[in-house]
Amino acid sequence: MNRRQVLGALSASITASLAGCSVNVVENPQTVEASDYSHFAGRDLQSTNYTDSDGFQGYNVEWVSELSGDVWADPIVANDSIFVATYNNKVYSVDIETGSVEWTFSGLDGKVDGTPAYHDGTIYITSFDNNVYAIDSNTGELNWSRNMGLTIRSSPKVSNGLIYLGIGCSRGPCNYYSPDANRPKTGGIFALDTETGDTEWSISPLGDTVIASSAIDNGTLYTASSVGDVYAIDASSGNISWSVDSEWSIMSSPAITQDKVFFGDSITADVSKDKHRQEDMYVYAVDRETGEQVWRQSFDGHLVAASPAVDNKNVYVAINGITDNNQEFGDAMVVSFEQETGNINWESRFPLSRISSSTLVDRNRVYAGKHRYGSSAPNGGLIALGKQGGNTHWKRLFEKDDFNRRGVGTSPCIIRDKIIFTTTFGELHCYSSTPSALI
């Protein structure tokens, strides 16, 4: 039995013992360590962004830590540390109990959009400087790095001894974040060895560039290209099982349940398909085994930038650019859909705002980080909505005059009775729960 077979067997054993740590939407979900929140979109590798918690009826500020640089990558938690990557080319390890910085890694040459991943004592980071970094989680020392030759905006996922990541970023999405407007529109999906960074397999080009992160379950990887194709790929060999074509570009990452894959598309100014001519964007559910469309819902918006979140009944999606009143800047909206039918349960709307990160779902609430979009927009912050009707249970807003210091652009995590999130202006917040709601 080789190393990856041993890791696979161990993963199956852990999965069997920890199945209660994830929402029951996947049979025998591929979980990570029970004490960790170690990847993009939650404790499992299916990108459900569900946490099995009663959640926060209100909050009490435990501590706030000021970091250097804007933050647009979700924080992750492993052991007793929170790991945060910033737009100031740095990675931080912060003590979860005190908020004190344990170490800082300053070896990046570019900003970070992708959420870090933790596995077996190593933090994996992707960067706009084209590199993948493996950093010792205890010391902050570099284990290895590898230049992939293209901008990397996706969040890595780690499973069975391999790192899965998309590379490349099309000019439309990346022009918001980098002055280099001439980067090539090529890219793909890579599986790298966790210990060396060597390529196990790759598919390049994969339709176009890949800024979405992957969801993984039962030996299959689900990902999407920026040009609008969603793929099911054998995680061991890289063989494509099926692909499905959406109407527009895809910036968000798929989320999977026992039988479906959920994703949304985005209308961008940098579209290469001739057929992209309709005015609405869509949220989709497709069959997990075949890729056949189960349902889709259209919206008069233009952007789903975040992965859907799912529980055992519903799907929660953040949609941006709702402009039915001809505003200069559109509104953001969180929408709850029935998983089976796509019927809309409720919509909660936020004027002149953007929700660029995934919603987080627990047993009772949906949490969304919103930020300002336009100088006259309302303050951004973290919002807690009721799952039953979408009403605001509480909100933590930030009053910032500077447009660049505009709110919350990441997804929070709930772990050890704490809710942890970052702001776009470089603060890391840790709150405990209180029994009373705060508005």
Side-chain angles (χ1 to χ4, degrees):
M1 181 177 287
N2 62 31
R3 180 170 64 90
R4 290 205 181 89
Q5 289 172 324
V6 171
L7 289 169
L10 179 60
S11 175
S13 174
I14 294 174
T15 295
S17 63
L18 298 181
C21 299
S22 295
V23 62
N24 187 27
V25 293
V26 175
E27 289 182 350
N28 301 318
Q30 188 167 350
T31 57
V32 293
E33 291 88 343
S35 61
D36 294 342
Y37 206 99
S38 57
H39 284 76
F40 167 78
R43 282 194 174 100
D44 56 48
L45 295 177
Q46 293 84 32
S47 297
T48 62
N49 223 20
Y50 174 87
T51 185
D52 193 20
S53 164
D54 287 333
F56 282 59
Q57 185 173 347
Y59 66 86
N60 180 64
V61 178
E62 292 287 308
W63 52 260
V64 178
S65 182
E66 294 188 6
L67 308 177
S68 174
D70 298 347
V71 183
W72 293 90
D74 299 348
I76 62 169
V77 179
N79 300 320
D80 296 317
S81 299
I82 307 167
F83 300 96
V84 183
T86 74
Y87 262 31
N88 200 30
N89 306 355
K90 297 185 188 313
V91 182
Y92 295 88
S93 175
V94 178
D95 185 276
I96 193 171
E97 297 298 334
T98 66
S100 60
V101 174
E102 299 167 320
W103 54 254
T104 304
F105 179 78
S106 303
L108 307 179
D109 290 325
K111 60 190 68 175
V112 177
D113 253 359
T115 297
Y118 169 87
H119 179 73
D120 196 23
T122 301
I123 301 295
Y124 298 95
I125 302 285
T126 57
S127 172
F128 269 67
D129 66 9
N130 302 350
N131 284 285
V132 183
Y133 296 86
I135 302 168
D136 187 286
S137 64
N138 293 313
T139 65
E141 296 180 354
L142 180 66
N143 293 336
W144 56 260
S145 65
R146 178 179 172 186
N147 191 307
M148 303 301 296
L150 289 169
T151 298
I152 310 174
R153 199 177 161 208
S154 71
S155 303
K157 288 288 185 75
V158 182
S159 177
N160 292 341
L162 294 175
I163 313 161
Y164 300 97
L165 68 153
I167 69 166
C169 190
S170 62
R171 287 185 286 273
C174 280
N175 276 350
Y176 295 105
Y177 307 97
S178 174
D180 181 8
N182 297 312
R183 61 175 50 84
K185 285 189 61 179
T186 58
I189 186 81
F190 281 72
L192 309 182
D193 187 279
T194 55
E195 294 185 357
T196 64
D198 293 338
T199 299
E200 180 74 11
W201 58 258
S202 65
I203 309 173
S204 183
L206 186 68
D208 189 87
T209 61
V210 179
I211 62 177
S213 302
S214 301
I216 306 169
D217 187 63
N218 197 29
T220 301
L221 177 148
Y222 302 85
T223 194
S225 72
S226 300
V227 79
D229 300 313
V230 176
Y231 299 85
I233 302 170
D234 185 278
S236 298
S237 66
N239 293 328
I240 296 176
S241 301
W242 54 256
S243 65
V244 61
D245 195 5
S246 74
E247 293 291 342
W248 283 94
S249 174
I250 297 180
M251 298 175 64
S252 70
S253 304
I256 57 177
T257 61
Q258 183 174 325
D259 57 356
K260 295 180 183 67
V261 181
F262 301 95
F263 60 94
D265 61 17
S266 302
I267 300 174
T268 71
D270 193 28
V271 177
S272 61
K273 291 182 179 179
D274 292 338
K275 70 175 188 175
H276 290 174
R277 294 292 182 267
Q278 93 288 343
E279 295 180 355
D280 294 339
M281 48 72 59
Y282 292 90
V283 175
Y284 298 82
V286 301
D287 186 272
R288 178 171 149 169
E289 296 300 321
T290 65
E292 294 182 3
Q293 183 175 297
V294 178
W295 56 259
R296 75 174 186 177
Q297 283 276 15
S298 65
F299 287 87
D300 183 20
H302 73 253
L303 177 63
V304 176
S307 176
V310 296
D311 57 20
N312 58 350
K313 293 183 179 179
N314 300 313
V315 185
Y316 307 88
V317 182
I319 298 170
N320 294 298
I322 305 295
T323 56
D324 54 6
N325 294 320
N326 296 316
Q327 308 104 313
E328 180 182 1
F329 302 101
D331 298 344
M333 187 162 61
V334 176
V335 184
S336 170
F337 303 87
E338 292 181 2
Q339 282 189 22
E340 294 302 316
T341 65
N343 292 336
I344 295 175
N345 299 314
W346 52 260
E347 301 172 351
S348 186
R349 188 158 174 166
F350 306 95
L352 299 178
S353 300
R354 284 289 183 270
I355 300 175
S356 299
S357 58
S358 302
T359 53
L360 171 69
V361 183
D362 63 23
R363 296 178 195 146
N364 299 305
R365 294 171 188 85
V366 182
Y367 305 85
K370 76 180 185 78
H371 55 89
R372 301 171 65 194
Y373 199 75
S375 57
S376 62
N379 292 319
L382 184 65
I383 312 294
L385 306 173
K387 283 175 64 173
Q388 298 306 312
N391 296 325
T392 299
H393 282 198
W394 57 262
K395 54 190 174 183
R396 172 68 168 99
L397 301 181
F398 298 94
E399 297 182 4
K400 297 294 180 182
D401 295 331
D402 184 355
F403 173 62
N404 292 322
R405 300 165 68 83
R406 50 190 176 180
V408 175
T410 59
S411 178
C413 61
I414 292 178
I415 187 168
R416 305 183 200 176
D417 298 320
K418 305 175 188 294
I419 188 166
I420 297 164
F421 67 97
T422 58
T423 67
T424 59
F425 47 92
E427 290 181 350
L428 175 63
H429 289 245
C430 178
Y431 299 168
S432 57
S433 180
T434 61
S436 59
L438 300 171
I439 299 294

